[in-house]
Amino acid sequence: MAQSVAPRSGIDLCAMFDHRVAIVGDQLFFMSGTYIFEVAIMASRQPNLMWLDLNTTFPVETFIANASIGLSHIPSYDPAQDSGGSFFYDNTTVYVFAGLGDVDHVITNQLKSYNASAKNWSDVAVAGGNFNRGSRFKGLHTSDPGTGRSWYSGGFDTNIRGMIQFDSSVSTGPTWTNTTSVMTEISGANNLGGELVFVPMGQAGVLIAIGGYDTSQPGTQYNGSDLNFNNVPLNRISVYDIYSSTWYGVNATGDTPSQRVEFCSSVSPSPDLSSFQITIYGGFDMKVPRAFEDIYVLSIPSFRWIKVNDASNPGNAEYTNSNVGRQGHKCVLWKDSQMIVLGGGIKIGPNDGNAQGCNTDYPPIKVLNTANFTWQSRFDPKGAAYEVPKVVYDVIGGESVYSV
């Protein structure tokens, strides 16, 4: 079992696994999971909430400088009780949902929270139910920080069916509810290892679930293994209408990615909000088994998959070797056009590529420009305004830049 070890001064961060991430204001927060710092022999748990300042320019495609990482100690932290879960977040605060604390003694209607402006921790009561249970490992989750809403469903070891909606905008304090306690034939919230994104369409927005494993019923795809679920094909998209609390199934067309789990995603809106581009990167297919380093875009509302032929990648092993890929990484979007990829495990065929130590070929942070699908060598807080990429509008029609 990984132990809790504080990072040593001057030792850079070179890998992270099973972490949770969020952008709040101008800070990229991450915690939980395990981390490898330079000269370390094995991954360790960290008793801190960590962050990077997105007001600064810094190199990527390299290790993360220790001096650039902000730290705040997590109150009453126990490394033996840190697994899974996610962040709920709004524009000022991150809330630590599930996976932190003794599952038999955790207060199920309370969350730890960190206010990024005040820089302090507090325990916050949440009205509406007792949903802070278990580790909720590798479930679907997403947040809409502008409205204070977050959602979580699925994952391992859950005894709560349906979709939890959390709302931090209520003046009397956060609330949550199970919005889909009765499920339809759409797998939707019954998912493990897929991706969930918020898209501001319709009366209250929609959630779009992609890939992963279908946990709504026993599977036969992996007979003889410990995995008892089938993959969700990536042309089978589950859409949740927030206003009506209803799941729908949509069949996507185009260059459908092969089956996979543990990829990452982000959503870039066109300037006139007529379309939304969901970019996915990487992932793992247990059937082969192998990981991926490819990029696809699901354009909404056409539900058309488009494969990005990514000739701009740097010439390191992760991009030039088709047998190498990344899984379990997390993606967050900065100013619509910079997709920050954080952490994840490297697979070389079925074998681990970065779990046993640092490797400069496989950096823990990367930045993809989602307007032209080039990987950046540095993070620039200003960035460039988002335009619909040519590879997308050549397929769905329209133009890269619309009247404002």
Side-chain angles (χ1 to χ4, degrees), residues 142 149 151 153 163-165 177-184 186-189 196-209 237-250 300 303:
T142 192
R149 297 175 299 172
W151 298 266
S153 65
M163 174 83 70
I164 293 173
Q165 178 172 301
T177 183
N178 188 327
T179 61
T180 54
S181 57
V182 178
M183 296 300 296
T184 67
I186 305 298
S187 62
L196 187 71
V197 298
F198 171 79
V199 177
M201 296 173 55
Q203 291 178 279
V206 299
L207 306 177
I208 296 179
I237 309 298
S238 295
V239 179
Y240 178 71
D241 178 69
I242 297 169
Y243 183 78
S244 63
S245 300
T246 305
W247 283 101
Y248 300 93
V250 177
I300 306 297
F303 287 91

Side-chain angles (χ1 to χ4, degrees), residues 152-266:
Y152 198 102
S153 65
F156 278 117
D157 76 347
T158 176
N159 57 3
I160 302 173
R161 306 295 290 176
M163 174 83 70
I164 293 173
Q165 178 172 301
F166 172 85
D167 189 347
S168 63
S169 68
V170 183
S171 59
T172 55
T175 63
W176 52 16
T177 183
N178 188 327
T179 61
T180 54
S181 57
V182 178
M183 296 300 296
T184 67
E185 69 277 6
I186 305 298
S187 62
N190 302 308
N191 190 291
L192 171 68
E195 279 289 294
L196 187 71
V197 298
F198 171 79
V199 177
M201 296 173 55
Q203 291 178 279
V206 299
L207 306 177
I208 296 179
I210 304 170
Y213 299 114
D214 180 358
T215 63
S216 65
Q217 56 189 341
T220 59
Q221 194 172 359
Y222 297 96
N223 285 340
S225 75
D226 294 334
L227 184 61
N228 191 32
F229 309 119
N230 289 337
N231 281 84
V232 178
L234 273 76
N235 65 344
R236 197 178 89 195
I237 309 298
S238 295
V239 179
Y240 178 71
D241 178 69
I242 297 169
Y243 183 78
S244 63
S245 300
T246 305
W247 283 101
Y248 300 93
V250 177
N251 290 321
T253 61
D255 306 322
T256 304
S258 58
Q259 68 177 27
R260 64 191 65 195
V261 300
E262 296 188 26
F263 51 96
C264 76
S265 65
S266 68

Side-chain angles (χ1 to χ4, degrees), residues 18-193:
D18 298 325
H19 46 297
R20 55 182 101 193
V21 302
I23 289 180
V24 175
D26 53 13
Q27 294 172 309
L28 170 55
F29 289 95
F30 52 101
M31 62 169 269
S32 298
T34 57
Y35 300 80
I36 300 179
F37 290 82
E38 283 185 292
V39 307
I41 298 174
M42 61 182 293
S44 63
R45 297 198 182 279
Q46 294 297 311
N48 303 301
L49 173 69
M50 294 171 274
W51 63 85
L52 297 175
D53 182 0
L54 299 183
N55 275 324
T56 63
T57 297
F58 52 83
V60 294
E61 299 285 350
T62 186
F63 300 159
I64 299 174
N66 183 283
S68 69
I69 301 174
L71 298 174
S72 179
H73 183 76
I74 304 167
S76 306
Y77 179 79
D78 180 354
Q81 307 294 339
D82 180 3
S83 177
S86 73
F87 284 137
F88 295 155
Y89 57 97
D90 53 32
N91 285 328
T92 62
T93 305
V94 289
Y95 301 85
V96 183
F97 172 66
L100 192 67
D102 186 341
V103 296
D104 296 322
H105 299 97
V106 69
I107 301 175
T108 56
N109 64 345
Q110 178 177 289
L111 298 177
K112 288 187 182 302
S113 69
Y114 181 82
N115 186 292
S117 300
K119 299 186 183 304
N120 58 26
W121 287 93
S122 60
D123 292 324
V124 178
V126 186
N130 298 306
F131 300 134
N132 189 26
R133 304 176 186 170
S135 73
R136 304 304 296 265
F137 197 60
K138 297 189 185 301
L140 297 178
H141 53 89
T142 192
S143 293
D144 176 27
T147 63
R149 297 175 299 172
S150 297
W151 298 266
Y152 198 102
S153 65
F156 278 117
D157 76 347
T158 176
N159 57 3
I160 302 173
R161 306 295 290 176
M163 174 83 70
I164 293 173
Q165 178 172 301
F166 172 85
D167 189 347
S168 63
S169 68
V170 183
S171 59
T172 55
T175 63
W176 52 16
T177 183
N178 188 327
T179 61
T180 54
S181 57
V182 178
M183 296 300 296
T184 67
E185 69 277 6
I186 305 298
S187 62
N190 302 308
N191 190 291
L192 171 68

